[in-house]
């Protein structure tokens, strides 16, 4: 039934949301440096509309932005663990 399909979509989407920040970090690191990786993530991250009304499609853009924000935080944590050379 349709309700089961909708609930499956919700579950699948929630699982994907949890996976995407890590995937984005992996892709961003292909830029060669942490600085370039962070700039790449920031360039790809969507902006909010000036006329944000909270419609479902606008909320989805917010979710995508938060996925990018989480990827940026993960990237920074990775960078902060790097040893400093002399």
């Amino acid at each position: 039934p349709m309700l089961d399909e909708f609930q499956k979509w919700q579950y699948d989407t929630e699982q994907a949301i949890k996976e995407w920040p890590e995937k984005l970090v992996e892709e961003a690191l292909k830029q060669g440096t942490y600085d370039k990786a962070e700039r790449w993530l920031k360039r790809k991250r969507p902006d909010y509309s000036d006329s944000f009304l909270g419609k479902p499609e606008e909320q989805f853009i917010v979710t995508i932005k938060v996925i990018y924000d989480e990827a940026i935080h993960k990237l920074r944590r990775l960078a902060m663990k790097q040893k400093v050379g002399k």
Side-chain angles (χ1 to χ4, degrees):
M2 190 204 55
L3 185 56
D4 290 343
E5 183 181 341
F6 186 56
Q7 289 173 332
K8 182 183 181 320
W9 174 79
Q10 289 176 59
Y11 176 81
D12 292 345
T13 302
E14 185 179 348
Q15 297 311 305
I17 286 170
K18 292 175 184 176
E19 296 170 6
W20 273 109
E22 194 65 42
K23 292 178 181 180
L24 287 169
V25 168
E26 289 174 19
E27 189 65 26
L29 287 172
K30 293 177 183 176
Q31 304 305 305
T33 67
Y34 287 102
D35 182 53
K36 287 179 182 177
E38 184 172 334
R39 281 188 275 146
W40 183 86
L41 286 167
K42 286 181 176 179
R43 276 196 319 272
K44 302 293 182 190
R45 179 178 56 188
D47 287 328
Y48 297 115
S49 167
D50 289 339
S51 60
F52 184 83
L53 301 173
K55 295 178 182 177
E57 59 272 18
E58 292 172 322
Q59 291 293 337
F60 190 68
I61 291 171
V62 171
T63 300
I64 293 170
K65 183 180 183 308
V66 171
I67 290 169
Y68 274 94
D69 290 344
E70 179 64 22
I72 290 168
H73 290 297
K74 285 178 177 288
L75 180 73
R76 288 179 181 163
R77 284 192 297 270
L78 279 176
M80 293 300 284
K81 291 179 182 178
Q82 298 302 306
K83 293 193 185 279
V84 176
K86 291 187 178 185

